[in-house]
Amino acid sequence: MRAAMRDDLPFPRTEVGKETEAYNFAYLDEQTKRMIRRAILKAIAIPGYQVPFASREMPMPYGWGTGGVQVTAAVLGPDDVLKVIDQGSDDTTNAVSIRRFFAKTAGVATTTKTREATLIQTRHRIPEEPLRDGQILVYQVPIPEPLRFLEPRETETRKLHALADYGLMHVKLYEDIARHGHIATTYAYPVEVAGRYVMDPSPTPKFDNPKMDMCAALQLFGAGREKRIYAVPPHTRVRSLDFEDHPFRIQTFKQPCALCGAEGGYLDEVVLDDRGGRMFVCSDTDFCEERRAAGHRGAMAADGDAAGETR
Amino acid sequence: MTDLPLLSARGLTKFYGERLGCRDVTFDLHEGEVLAVVGESGSGKSTLLGLLATELAPSAGAVHYRMRDGAVRDLSELTEAERRLLLRTDWGFVRQDAREGLRMGVSAGGNVGERLMAVGARHYGNIRAAASDWLARVEIEAGRIDDTPKSFSGGMRQRLQIARNLVTHPRLVFMDEPTSGLDVSVQARLLDLIRGLVAELGLAVIIVTHDLAVARLLSHRIMVMRRGRVIETGLTDQVLDDPREAYTQLLVSSVLAA
């Protein structure tokens, strides 16, 4: 069937080679990329608004970042330098496979250095190093609708967004305080973008919310299963919702990073043995490595001059 | 105080395709007035309530409402935002099934506070104080403020619904069979509570019920519906003690004397 149809093609046949390669740059076909770019442009024009798009099947399961990958594929150019992080880390399965995917399908340069990257795809974290003009941060989003768990009807949540009717969001925060004495939501913490739409910043820890505010980089959010794209343009106000008497606060860590000694970063807990041994290290691996390369040492750093060695 | 009615319905008609919901209903309701709509199942009571509360669009006729600023508006011409604001500030709606009127997964305090937060309250302490004040007024113990309505009895759920609706000091409350499904002693307490609050706050109420005892206890005026039409209307005592229409006589005589 296919062979028969091929003979009737209205355009000249080309050999698989250079042209097809250009045609299929970064995995998606040009029509799909155009469709996604349109959605992205609309999302940038209406900060925080969820734009529906015709999400494609991707060669990975839902939940592994199909939305983020499609957004990345649509905005990636041959000169881009790509960095992919998963929970702040450059070397976990998800990050490695997505980075390899684009190295293979687009032939772009990849990096683990935040500073060198022009495009960063992330799940959960925003790099510790401040982003700059011209960089794009792409988030993988599982559930784009911040009102979902309070209002299951999509028709109704769309209306609530249209009318900027966000009392429900505060009901959720109220419940937190009533139950835990403080706002216990620590990730996917709802934000108001440019004074209008309330947005779910995907499962990033609320620690990173302040970094979204007036960020110099363009922030794009892709939800593949839910078929939504939304965006925060550079230098846009992003305000975390709160109560007057319970203002928004980020979590703080009692100790510095055990490897690089950084204070004020977001730390991961690493269990060391089955006798309660543990260490806290930077979740942003690139940030941690750079600091160690610059000579900073934490209490448990492996090399000789570390404070931990003398114990 | 003005003589203009708070709400006036003119020629309200609703067809569901071929079938009639209700036909040509006309009445006025003044501030502080309690109107009972009675009739058997399928007589169009709930359709009428839905039309008045703008949950259904009428096939013909119109409802006018005097807003807090004194302007009389045609309810069908309100924008969606105005309609929602009206529903959650100046109006209340107590449902027959509390599960429809409450958020079952949200604590009692959150249920009462929701309306306040929806109109812009952003101070947790104040919201909580208002919620516990209203829970006390509907006789729910202060210790239950953080429990969800799932753990409440039927009577408590109805009282919580009332608190949730009254927290923004509405002028008009719709009630759809608020006491059905409750046992008799709980019904009596709830009715007593509603009567007290209505008198204290000067609420206008439109209450739909098939229970004539509820109508007699709460309402000033009564409207009897049958097959989608209003067949008799008047002062409650007058209609119930001296019914004119044959159907009303039947209704009144079907009440079992205890």
Side-chain angles (χ1 to χ4, degrees), chain A residues 103-183:
Chain A
K104 188 172 176 184
T105 59
V108 293
T110 61
T111 181
T112 58
K113 303 240 176 298
T114 302
R115 200 172 305 125
E116 288 170 11
T118 56
L119 206 162
I120 303 169
Q121 180 171 334
T122 178
R123 169 171 177 257
H124 292 181
R125 286 301 318 280
I126 300 173
E128 305 286 0
E129 182 170 323
L131 300 177
R132 56 177 161 76
D133 285 322
Q135 283 182 316
I136 300 177
L137 187 59
V138 176
Y139 296 77
Q140 306 167 196
V141 180
I143 297 166
E145 180 51 72
L147 300 161
R148 177 61 68 241
F149 292 105
L150 295 148
E151 178 52 69
R153 290 168 296 178
E154 177 75 18
T155 48
E156 182 65 18
T157 53
R158 278 197 214 177
K159 239 180 227 168
L160 294 175
H161 281 295
L163 297 168
D165 192 349
Y166 292 125
L168 261 186
M169 228 49 263
H170 276 86
V171 173
K172 187 179 173 214
L173 300 180
Y174 171 95
E175 288 292 289
D176 259 9
I177 304 175
R179 263 176 221 160
H180 309 287
H182 59 98
I183 298 177

Coordinates of all heavy atoms in Angstrom, one line a residue, chain A residues 103-183:
Chain A
A103 N 20.9 15.0 21.5 CA 22.2 15.0 20.9 C 22.1 14.1 19.6 O 22.7 14.4 18.6 CB 23.2 14.4 21.8
K104 N 21.3 13.1 19.6 CA 21.2 12.2 18.5 C 20.2 12.7 17.4 O 20.6 12.7 16.2 CB 20.6 10.9 19.0 CG 20.6 9.8 18.0 CD 20.2 8.5 18.7 CE 20.1 7.3 17.6 NZ 19.6 6.1 18.2
T105 N 19.1 13.3 17.8 CA 18.1 13.7 16.8 C 18.3 15.1 16.3 O 17.8 15.4 15.2 CB 16.6 13.6 17.4 OG1 16.6 14.5 18.5 CG2 16.3 12.2 17.8
A106 N 19.0 15.9 17.0 CA 19.3 17.3 16.6 C 20.7 17.6 16.4 O 21.1 18.6 15.8 CB 18.6 18.3 17.6
G107 N 21.6 16.8 16.9 CA 23.0 17.0 16.8 C 23.5 18.2 17.5 O 24.5 18.8 17.2
V108 N 22.7 18.7 18.5 CA 23.2 19.9 19.2 C 24.2 19.6 20.3 O 24.3 18.5 20.7 CB 22.0 20.6 19.9 CG1 21.0 21.2 18.9 CG2 21.3 19.7 20.9
A109 N 24.9 20.6 20.6 CA 25.9 20.5 21.7 C 25.2 20.4 23.0 O 24.2 21.0 23.2 CB 26.8 21.7 21.7
T110 N 25.7 19.6 23.9 CA 25.1 19.5 25.3 C 26.1 19.9 26.3 O 27.3 19.8 26.0 CB 24.6 18.0 25.6 OG1 25.7 17.2 25.5 CG2 23.5 17.6 24.6
T111 N 25.6 20.2 27.5 CA 26.5 20.6 28.5 C 25.9 20.3 29.9 O 24.7 20.1 29.9 CB 26.8 22.1 28.4 OG1 27.7 22.5 29.5 CG2 25.6 23.0 28.6
T112 N 26.7 20.3 30.9 CA 26.1 20.2 32.2 C 26.2 21.6 32.9 O 25.8 21.7 34.1 CB 26.8 19.1 33.1 OG1 28.2 19.4 33.2 CG2 26.6 17.7 32.5
K113 N 26.9 22.5 32.3 CA 27.2 23.8 32.9 C 26.0 24.8 32.7 O 25.7 25.1 31.5 CB 28.4 24.4 32.4 CG 29.7 23.5 32.5 CD 30.7 24.2 33.4 CE 31.9 23.3 33.7 NZ 31.5 22.1 34.4
T114 N 25.4 25.2 33.8 CA 24.3 26.2 33.6 C 24.7 27.4 32.8 O 23.9 27.9 32.0 CB 23.8 26.6 35.0 OG1 23.5 25.4 35.8 CG2 22.6 27.5 35.0
R115 N 25.9 27.9 33.1 CA 26.3 29.1 32.4 C 26.4 29.0 30.9 O 26.1 29.9 30.2 CB 27.7 29.6 33.0 CG 28.0 31.0 32.9 CD 29.2 31.4 33.6 NE 29.1 31.1 35.0 CZ 30.0 30.3 35.7 NH1 31.0 29.9 35.1 NH2 29.8 30.1 37.0
E116 N 26.9 27.8 30.5 CA 27.1 27.6 29.0 C 25.8 27.3 28.3 O 25.8 27.4 27.1 CB 28.1 26.5 28.8 CG 29.5 26.8 29.3 CD 30.4 25.6 29.3 OE1 30.0 24.6 28.8 OE2 31.5 25.8 29.8
A117 N 24.8 26.8 29.0 CA 23.6 26.4 28.3 C 22.8 27.5 27.8 O 22.7 28.6 28.4 CB 22.8 25.5 29.2
T118 N 22.2 27.3 26.6 CA 21.2 28.3 26.1 C 19.8 27.9 26.4 O 18.9 28.6 26.4 CB 21.4 28.6 24.6 OG1 21.3 27.3 23.9 CG2 22.7 29.2 24.3
L119 N 19.7 26.5 26.5 CA 18.4 26.0 26.7 C 18.5 24.9 27.8 O 19.4 24.0 27.7 CB 17.9 25.3 25.4 CG 16.4 25.2 25.2 CD1 16.1 25.0 23.7 CD2 15.8 24.1 26.0
I120 N 17.7 25.0 28.8 CA 17.8 24.1 29.9 C 16.4 23.4 30.1 O 15.4 24.1 30.3 CB 18.2 24.8 31.3 CG1 19.5 25.5 31.1 CG2 18.3 23.7 32.4 CD1 19.9 26.4 32.2
Q121 N 16.4 22.1 30.0 CA 15.1 21.4 30.3 C 15.2 20.9 31.7 O 16.2 20.3 32.1 CB 14.8 20.3 29.3 CG 13.5 19.6 29.6 CD 13.0 18.6 28.6 OE1 13.4 18.7 27.4 NE2 12.3 17.6 29.0
T122 N 14.2 21.1 32.5 CA 14.2 20.7 33.9 C 13.0 19.9 34.4 O 11.9 20.2 33.9 CB 14.5 21.9 34.8 OG1 14.5 21.5 36.2 CG2 13.4 22.9 34.6
R123 N 13.3 19.1 35.3 CA 12.2 18.5 36.1 C 12.5 18.8 37.5 O 13.5 18.5 38.0 CB 12.2 17.0 35.8 CG 11.3 16.2 36.7 CD 11.2 14.8 36.2 NE 10.4 14.0 37.2 CZ 10.9 13.1 38.1 NH1 12.2 13.0 38.2 NH2 10.1 12.5 38.9
H124 N 11.6 19.6 38.1 CA 11.7 19.9 39.6 C 12.5 21.1 40.0 O 12.2 21.8 40.9 CB 12.1 18.8 40.4 CG 11.1 17.7 40.4 ND1 11.3 16.5 41.1 CD2 9.9 17.6 39.9 CE1 10.3 15.7 41.0 NE2 9.4 16.4 40.2
R125 N 13.7 21.3 39.4 CA 14.5 22.4 40.0 C 14.8 23.5 39.0 O 14.8 23.3 37.8 CB 15.9 21.8 40.4 CG 15.9 20.9 41.7 CD 15.4 21.6 42.9 NE 15.9 23.0 43.1 CZ 17.1 23.3 43.5 NH1 18.0 22.4 43.9 NH2 17.5 24.6 43.7
I126 N 15.1 24.7 39.6 CA 15.7 25.8 38.8 C 17.1 25.9 39.3 O 17.4 25.9 40.5 CB 14.9 27.1 39.1 CG1 13.5 26.9 38.8 CG2 15.6 28.3 38.4 CD1 12.6 28.1 39.2
P127 N 18.1 26.0 38.4 CA 19.5 26.0 38.8 C 19.8 27.1 39.8 O 19.1 28.1 39.8 CB 20.2 26.3 37.5 CG 19.4 25.7 36.4 CD 18.0 26.0 36.9
E128 N 20.7 26.8 40.7 CA 21.1 27.8 41.7 C 21.7 29.1 41.1 O 21.5 30.2 41.6 CB 22.1 27.2 42.7 CG 21.6 25.9 43.4 CD 20.5 26.1 44.5 OE1 20.1 27.3 44.6 OE2 20.1 25.1 45.1
E129 N 22.5 28.8 40.1 CA 23.1 30.0 39.4 C 22.0 30.8 38.7 O 21.2 30.3 38.0 CB 24.1 29.5 38.4 CG 24.9 30.7 37.8 CD 26.1 30.2 37.0 OE1 26.7 29.3 37.4 OE2 26.3 30.8 35.9
P130 N 22.0 32.2 39.0 CA 21.0 33.0 38.3 C 21.0 32.8 36.8 O 22.1 32.9 36.2 CB 21.3 34.4 38.8 CG 22.2 34.2 40.0 CD 22.9 32.9 39.8
L131 N 19.8 32.7 36.2 CA 19.7 32.6 34.8 C 19.9 34.0 34.2 O 19.6 35.0 34.8 CB 18.4 32.0 34.4 CG 18.2 30.5 34.9 CD1 16.9 30.0 34.6 CD2 19.3 29.6 34.4
R132 N 20.3 34.0 32.9 CA 20.6 35.3 32.3 C 19.7 35.5 31.0 O 19.0 34.6 30.6 CB 22.0 35.4 31.9 CG 22.5 34.3 31.0 CD 23.9 34.5 30.6 NE 24.5 33.2 30.1 CZ 24.2 32.6 29.0 NH1 23.4 33.2 28.1 NH2 24.7 31.5 28.6
D133 N 19.7 36.7 30.5 CA 19.0 37.0 29.3 C 19.3 36.0 28.2 O 20.5 35.7 28.1 CB 19.4 38.4 28.8 CG 18.7 39.5 29.6 OD1 17.6 39.3 30.0 OD2 19.4 40.5 29.9
G134 N 18.4 35.7 27.4 CA 18.7 34.8 26.3 C 18.6 33.3 26.6 O 18.5 32.5 25.7
Q135 N 18.6 33.0 27.8 CA 18.4 31.5 28.2 C 17.0 31.2 28.2 O 16.1 32.0 28.5 CB 19.1 31.2 29.5 CG 20.6 31.2 29.5 CD 21.2 30.8 30.8 OE1 20.8 31.4 31.8 NE2 22.2 29.9 30.8
I136 N 16.7 29.9 27.9 CA 15.3 29.4 28.0 C 15.3 28.2 29.0 O 16.1 27.3 28.9 CB 14.8 28.9 26.7 CG1 14.8 30.1 25.7 CG2 13.4 28.4 26.8 CD1 14.4 29.7 24.2
L137 N 14.3 28.3 29.9 CA 14.2 27.2 30.9 C 12.9 26.5 30.5 O 11.8 27.1 30.5 CB 14.1 27.8 32.3 CG 14.1 26.8 33.5 CD1 15.4 25.9 33.4 CD2 14.1 27.5 34.8
V138 N 13.0 25.2 30.2 CA 11.8 24.4 29.9 C 11.4 23.4 31.0 O 12.3 22.6 31.4 CB 12.0 23.6 28.6 CG1 10.8 22.7 28.2 CG2 12.3 24.6 27.4
Y139 N 10.2 23.5 31.5 CA 9.8 22.7 32.6 C 9.0 21.5 32.1 O 8.1 21.7 31.2 CB 8.9 23.4 33.6 CG 9.5 24.6 34.3 CD1 9.7 25.8 33.7 CD2 9.9 24.5 35.7 CE1 10.3 26.9 34.4 CE2 10.4 25.6 36.4 CZ 10.6 26.8 35.7 OH 11.2 27.8 36.4
Q140 N 9.1 20.3 32.7 CA 8.3 19.2 32.4 C 7.2 19.2 33.5 O 7.4 19.2 34.7 CB 9.0 17.9 32.6 CG 10.3 17.9 31.7 CD 11.2 16.7 32.1 OE1 12.4 16.7 31.7 NE2 10.7 15.7 32.8
V141 N 5.9 19.3 33.0 CA 4.8 19.5 33.9 C 3.9 18.3 33.9 O 3.4 17.9 32.9 CB 4.0 20.7 33.5 CG1 2.8 20.9 34.5 CG2 4.9 22.0 33.5
P142 N 3.6 17.7 35.1 CA 2.7 16.6 35.1 C 1.2 17.0 35.1 O 0.4 16.6 34.3 CB 3.0 15.8 36.4 CG 3.8 16.7 37.2 CD 4.3 17.8 36.3
I143 N 0.9 18.0 36.0 CA -0.5 18.4 36.1 C -0.5 20.0 36.1 O -0.1 20.6 37.0 CB -1.2 17.9 37.4 CG1 -1.3 16.4 37.4 CG2 -2.6 18.5 37.6 CD1 -1.6 15.8 38.7
P144 N -0.9 20.5 34.9 CA -0.8 22.0 34.8 C -1.8 22.8 35.6 O -1.6 24.0 35.8 CB -0.9 22.2 33.3 CG -1.7 21.1 32.8 CD -1.4 19.9 33.7
E145 N -2.9 22.1 36.0 CA -4.0 22.9 36.5 C -3.9 23.0 38.1 O -4.1 22.1 38.8 CB -5.3 22.1 36.2 CG -6.6 22.8 36.7 CD -6.7 24.3 36.3 OE1 -6.9 24.6 35.2 OE2 -6.5 25.1 37.2
P146 N -3.6 24.3 38.5 CA -3.5 24.4 40.0 C -4.7 24.2 40.8 O -4.7 23.8 41.9 CB -3.0 25.9 40.1 CG -3.5 26.6 38.9 CD -3.5 25.5 37.8
L147 N -5.9 24.3 40.1 CA -7.2 24.1 40.8 C -7.7 22.7 40.8 O -8.7 22.4 41.4 CB -8.2 25.0 40.2 CG -7.9 26.5 40.2 CD1 -8.8 27.3 39.2 CD2 -8.2 27.1 41.6
R148 N -6.9 21.8 40.1 CA -7.5 20.5 39.9 C -8.0 19.7 41.1 O -9.0 19.1 41.1 CB -6.4 19.6 39.2 CG -6.7 18.2 38.9 CD -7.9 18.0 37.9 NE -7.7 18.5 36.6 CZ -8.4 19.5 36.0 NH1 -9.3 20.1 36.6 NH2 -8.1 19.8 34.8
F149 N -7.2 19.7 42.2 CA -7.6 18.9 43.3 C -8.7 19.5 44.1 O -9.3 18.8 45.0 CB -6.3 18.6 44.2 CG -5.4 17.8 43.5 CD1 -4.2 18.3 42.9 CD2 -5.6 16.4 43.3 CE1 -3.3 17.5 42.3 CE2 -4.7 15.6 42.6 CZ -3.6 16.2 42.1
L150 N -9.1 20.7 43.8 CA -10.2 21.3 44.5 C -11.4 21.3 43.6 O -12.6 21.3 44.1 CB -9.9 22.8 44.9 CG -8.8 22.8 46.0 CD1 -8.0 24.1 45.8 CD2 -9.4 22.8 47.3
E151 N -11.2 21.4 42.3 CA -12.3 21.4 41.4 C -12.0 20.5 40.2 O -11.3 20.8 39.4 CB -12.5 22.9 40.9 CG -13.6 23.0 39.9 CD -14.9 22.4 40.3 OE1 -15.5 23.0 41.3 OE2 -15.3 21.4 39.8
P152 N -12.6 19.3 40.3 CA -12.3 18.3 39.2 C -12.8 18.6 37.8 O -12.2 18.1 36.9 CB -12.9 17.0 39.8 CG -13.9 17.4 40.8 CD -13.5 18.8 41.3
R153 N -13.8 19.5 37.7 CA -14.3 19.7 36.4 C -13.5 20.7 35.6 O -13.3 21.9 36.0 CB -15.8 20.3 36.5 CG -16.8 19.3 37.0 CD -18.0 20.0 37.4 NE -17.9 20.9 38.5 CZ -18.8 21.7 39.0 NH1 -20.0 21.7 38.5 NH2 -18.6 22.5 40.0
E154 N -13.0 20.3 34.4 CA -12.2 21.1 33.6 C -13.0 22.4 33.1 O -12.5 23.5 33.0 CB -11.7 20.3 32.4 CG -10.9 21.1 31.4 CD -9.5 21.5 31.8 OE1 -9.0 20.8 32.8 OE2 -8.9 22.4 31.3
T155 N -14.3 22.1 32.7 CA -15.1 23.3 32.3 C -15.2 24.3 33.4 O -15.1 25.5 33.0 CB -16.6 22.8 32.0 OG1 -17.0 22.0 33.1 CG2 -16.6 22.0 30.7
E156 N -15.2 23.9 34.6 CA -15.4 24.9 35.7 C -14.0 25.6 36.0 O -14.0 26.8 36.2 CB -15.9 24.1 36.9 CG -16.1 25.0 38.2 CD -17.2 26.0 38.0 OE1 -18.0 25.9 37.1 OE2 -17.2 27.0 38.8
T157 N -12.9 24.8 35.9 CA -11.6 25.5 36.2 C -11.3 26.5 35.1 O -10.8 27.5 35.4 CB -10.5 24.4 36.3 OG1 -10.5 23.6 35.1 CG2 -10.6 23.5 37.5
R158 N -11.7 26.2 33.9 CA -11.4 27.2 32.9 C -12.2 28.5 33.1 O -11.7 29.6 32.9 CB -11.9 26.6 31.5 CG -10.8 25.7 30.9 CD -11.1 25.5 29.5 NE -10.7 24.2 29.1 CZ -10.8 23.7 27.9 NH1 -11.4 24.4 27.0 NH2 -10.4 22.4 27.6
K159 N -13.4 28.3 33.6 CA -14.3 29.5 33.9 C -13.6 30.2 35.0 O -13.6 31.5 35.0 CB -15.7 29.0 34.3 CG -16.7 29.6 33.4 CD -18.1 29.1 33.9 CE -18.9 28.6 32.7 NZ -20.1 27.9 33.1
L160 N -13.1 29.5 36.1 CA -12.5 30.2 37.2 C -11.3 31.0 36.7 O -11.1 32.1 37.2 CB -12.1 29.2 38.3 CG -13.3 28.4 38.9 CD1 -12.8 27.3 39.9 CD2 -14.2 29.4 39.7
H161 N -10.5 30.4 35.8 CA -9.4 31.2 35.3 C -9.9 32.4 34.5 O -9.3 33.5 34.7 CB -8.5 30.3 34.4 CG -7.6 29.4 35.1 ND1 -6.6 29.8 35.9 CD2 -7.6 28.0 35.2 CE1 -6.0 28.7 36.4 NE2 -6.6 27.6 36.0
A162 N -10.9 32.2 33.7 CA -11.4 33.3 32.9 C -11.8 34.5 33.7 O -11.6 35.6 33.4 CB -12.5 32.8 32.0
L163 N -12.5 34.1 34.9 CA -13.0 35.2 35.7 C -12.0 35.6 36.8 O -12.4 36.4 37.7 CB -14.3 34.7 36.4 CG -15.4 34.3 35.4 CD1 -16.5 33.6 36.1 CD2 -16.0 35.6 34.8
A164 N -10.8 35.1 36.8 CA -9.8 35.3 37.8 C -10.4 35.0 39.2 O -10.2 35.8 40.1 CB -9.3 36.7 37.7
D165 N -11.1 34.0 39.3 CA -11.9 33.6 40.5 C -11.0 32.6 41.3 O -11.2 31.4 41.1 CB -13.2 33.0 40.0 CG -14.2 32.8 41.2 OD1 -13.8 33.0 42.3 OD2 -15.4 32.6 40.9
Y166 N -10.1 33.1 42.1 CA -9.1 32.2 42.7 C -9.3 32.0 44.2 O -8.3 31.6 44.8 CB -7.7 32.8 42.4 CG -7.4 32.7 40.9 CD1 -7.0 33.8 40.2 CD2 -7.5 31.5 40.2 CE1 -6.7 33.7 38.8 CE2 -7.2 31.4 38.9 CZ -6.7 32.5 38.2 OH -6.4 32.4 36.9
G167 N -10.5 32.3 44.7 CA -10.7 32.0 46.1 C -10.4 30.6 46.6 O -9.9 30.4 47.6
L168 N -10.7 29.7 45.7 CA -10.4 28.3 46.0 C -9.0 28.0 46.3 O -8.7 27.1 47.2 CB -10.8 27.4 44.7 CG -12.1 26.8 44.7 CD1 -12.2 25.9 43.5 CD2 -12.4 26.0 45.9
M169 N -8.1 28.6 45.6 CA -6.7 28.4 45.9 C -6.3 28.7 47.3 O -5.5 28.0 48.0 CB -5.9 29.4 45.0 CG -4.8 28.9 44.2 SD -5.0 27.4 43.2 CE -4.3 26.2 44.4
H170 N -7.0 29.8 47.9 CA -6.7 30.1 49.2 C -7.4 29.2 50.2 O -6.9 29.0 51.3 CB -7.2 31.6 49.5 CG -6.1 32.6 49.1 ND1 -6.0 33.0 47.8 CD2 -5.1 33.1 49.8 CE1 -4.9 33.8 47.8 NE2 -4.4 33.9 49.0
V171 N -8.5 28.5 49.7 CA -9.1 27.5 50.6 C -8.1 26.4 50.8 O -7.9 25.9 51.9 CB -10.4 26.9 49.9 CG1 -10.9 25.7 50.7 CG2 -11.4 28.0 49.8
K172 N -7.3 26.1 49.8 CA -6.3 25.0 49.9 C -5.2 25.4 51.0 O -4.8 24.7 51.8 CB -5.7 24.8 48.6 CG -4.7 23.6 48.6 CD -4.1 23.3 47.2 CE -3.1 22.3 47.3 NZ -2.0 22.5 46.4
L173 N -4.8 26.7 50.9 CA -3.8 27.2 51.8 C -4.4 27.2 53.2 O -3.7 26.9 54.2 CB -3.3 28.5 51.3 CG -2.6 28.6 50.0 CD1 -2.1 30.0 49.6 CD2 -1.4 27.6 49.9
Y174 N -5.7 27.7 53.3 CA -6.3 27.7 54.6 C -6.3 26.3 55.2 O -6.0 26.2 56.4 CB -7.8 28.2 54.4 CG -8.6 28.0 55.7 CD1 -8.7 29.1 56.6 CD2 -9.2 26.8 56.0 CE1 -9.4 29.0 57.8 CE2 -9.9 26.7 57.2 CZ -10.0 27.8 58.1 OH -10.7 27.6 59.3
E175 N -6.6 25.3 54.4 CA -6.6 23.9 55.0 C -5.3 23.5 55.5 O -5.2 22.9 56.5 CB -7.1 23.0 53.9 CG -8.5 23.1 53.5 CD -9.4 22.6 54.7 OE1 -9.5 21.4 54.9 OE2 -10.1 23.5 55.3
D176 N -4.2 23.9 54.8 CA -2.9 23.7 55.2 C -2.6 24.2 56.6 O -2.1 23.5 57.5 CB -1.9 24.3 54.2 CG -1.3 23.3 53.3 OD1 -1.8 22.2 53.3 OD2 -0.4 23.7 52.5
I177 N -3.0 25.5 56.8 CA -2.7 26.1 58.1 C -3.5 25.5 59.1 O -3.1 25.2 60.3 CB -2.9 27.7 58.0 CG1 -2.1 28.3 56.8 CG2 -2.6 28.3 59.3 CD1 -2.4 29.7 56.6
A178 N -4.8 25.2 58.8 CA -5.7 24.6 59.8 C -5.1 23.3 60.3 O -5.2 22.9 61.4 CB -7.1 24.5 59.3
R179 N -4.6 22.5 59.4 CA -4.1 21.2 59.7 C -2.7 21.2 60.3 O -2.4 20.4 61.2 CB -4.1 20.3 58.5 CG -5.4 19.5 58.4 CD -5.5 18.7 57.2 NE -6.9 18.7 56.8 CZ -7.3 18.5 55.6 NH1 -6.5 18.1 54.6 NH2 -8.6 18.5 55.3
H180 N -1.8 22.0 59.7 CA -0.4 21.9 60.1 C 0.1 23.1 60.9 O 1.3 23.1 61.3 CB 0.4 21.6 58.9 CG -0.1 20.5 58.0 ND1 0.1 19.2 58.4 CD2 -0.7 20.5 56.8 CE1 -0.4 18.4 57.4 NE2 -0.9 19.2 56.5
G181 N -0.7 24.1 61.0 CA -0.2 25.3 61.7 C 0.6 26.3 60.8 O 0.9 27.4 61.2
H182 N 0.9 25.8 59.6 CA 1.6 26.7 58.7 C 1.3 26.2 57.3 O 0.7 25.1 57.1 CB 3.1 26.6 58.9 CG 3.7 25.3 58.8 ND1 4.3 24.8 57.6 CD2 3.7 24.2 59.6 CE1 4.7 23.5 57.8 NE2 4.3 23.1 59.0
I183 N 1.7 26.9 56.2 CA 1.4 26.5 54.9 C 2.3 25.3 54.6 O 3.5 25.5 54.4 CB 1.5 27.6 53.9 CG1 0.5 28.7 54.2 CG2 1.3 27.1 52.4 CD1 0.5 29.9 53.3

